[in-house]
Amino acid sequence: MPPRNDAALEFLKTRRSRPAKTLQAPGPSRAELEALLEIAARVPDHGKLEPWRFVVIEGAAMPKLADAAEQASANAGEDAEKTAKARAQFDMGTCAVAVVVSPVPSEKVPEIEQVYSAGAVCLSLVNAALASGWGANWLSGAPSHDRGFVEGALGLAAHESIAGFIHIATETAPAPERPRPDVKAKTTWV
Ligand SMILES: Cc1cc2nc3c(=O)[nH]c(=O)nc-3n(C[C@H](O)[C@H](O)[C@H](O)COP(=O)(O)O)c2cc1C
């Protein structure tokens, strides 16, 4: 039996995201990010298809994406509030990693399982960042579903999609706790 890892259990029991709007520079260096991505890629992956990839957004790319997100939202006919929100995600950010679902044709592994694996990458990246002492938050937002934005500004192919933008930087305020599920009510024992 593998030995009990109390530090890991304590981390998992108490982990919580840090709202992106409370994060500020500095963010991780390229070497630190590379280490986080190595950890994030260590996830269950049916058929070893590796059906995901990363787009790291840093430095001047963040305000450029803010402009593109604003434009995409306006093009989609969204109101001023939604358009400002679309922009804000990248305006307020220091560094973000787009986790891209990049499905691989497979007779054995349905696409939804490949999307689950990309979701696992997102959570692992958040957890790796939190465990390293960074603040981190998994966001999507309207632009992440806008084909013009994801293909034009992030270079996704037609078959790819965004599983999440993982924002990583220094936390500035204590993270608020949020209501947690009543696990007993959500569990059936058979
Ligand atoms: C796929 C996905 C997309 C999300 N997109 C957003 C978002 O666009 N805006 C937002 O405020 N929260 C979003 N969230 C929720 C945040 O990640 C939130 O901080 C998180 O649920 C906090 O949970 P934790 O404290 O257990 O980490 C999203 C969560 C997931 C799983």
Side-chain angles (χ1 to χ4, degrees):
M1 213 165 113
R4 183 182 162 98
N5 185 335
D6 285 312
L9 286 171
E10 187 55 25
F11 170 78
L12 291 171
K13 266 199 255 178
T14 56
R15 61 155 301 286
R16 58 191 180 184
S17 300
R18 273 48 175 179
K21 58 177 181 285
T22 68
L23 303 181
Q24 69 174 28
S29 66
R30 186 164 285 208
E32 287 168 322
L33 266 173
E34 281 170 351
L36 294 177
L37 298 182
E38 289 289 336
I39 297 170
R42 195 179 174 94
V43 292
D45 165 15
H46 192 179
K48 297 191 267 304
L49 298 176
E50 303 175 14
W52 26 256
R53 64 186 181 91
F54 300 112
V55 179
V56 180
I57 307 152
E58 53 179 359
M62 289 294 273
K64 254 172 87 179
L65 268 195
D67 290 344
E70 182 177 14
Q71 192 62 55
S73 182
N75 290 348
E78 299 293 3
D79 62 27
E81 194 188 332
K82 282 198 176 141
T83 298
K85 207 171 165 199
R87 174 175 188 94
Q89 176 179 167
F90 301 103
D91 246 353
M92 67 192 172
T94 299
C95 139
V97 178
V99 177
V100 177
V101 188
S102 194
V104 176
S106 167
E107 285 181 10
K108 193 176 84 169
V109 185
E111 192 166 311
I112 190 154
E113 295 190 9
Q114 302 185 35
V115 176
Y116 295 152
S117 184
V121 170
C122 291
L123 180 59
S124 279
L125 181 53
V126 170
N127 282 343
L130 293 174
S132 304
W134 298 104
N137 202 0
W138 176 353
L139 299 183
S140 52
S144 73
H145 303 296
D146 182 302
R147 294 310 309 174
F149 176 73
V150 299
E151 290 180 27
L154 289 167
L156 267 61
H159 70 291
E160 295 181 319
S161 56
I162 295 288
F165 292 105
I166 313 302
H167 290 254
I168 306 171
T170 301
E171 70 174 310
T172 57
E177 186 47 297
R178 68 177 177 90
R180 296 292 167 177
D182 176 353
V183 176
K184 284 199 173 71
K186 300 192 80 64
T187 307
T188 307
W189 299 77
V190 293

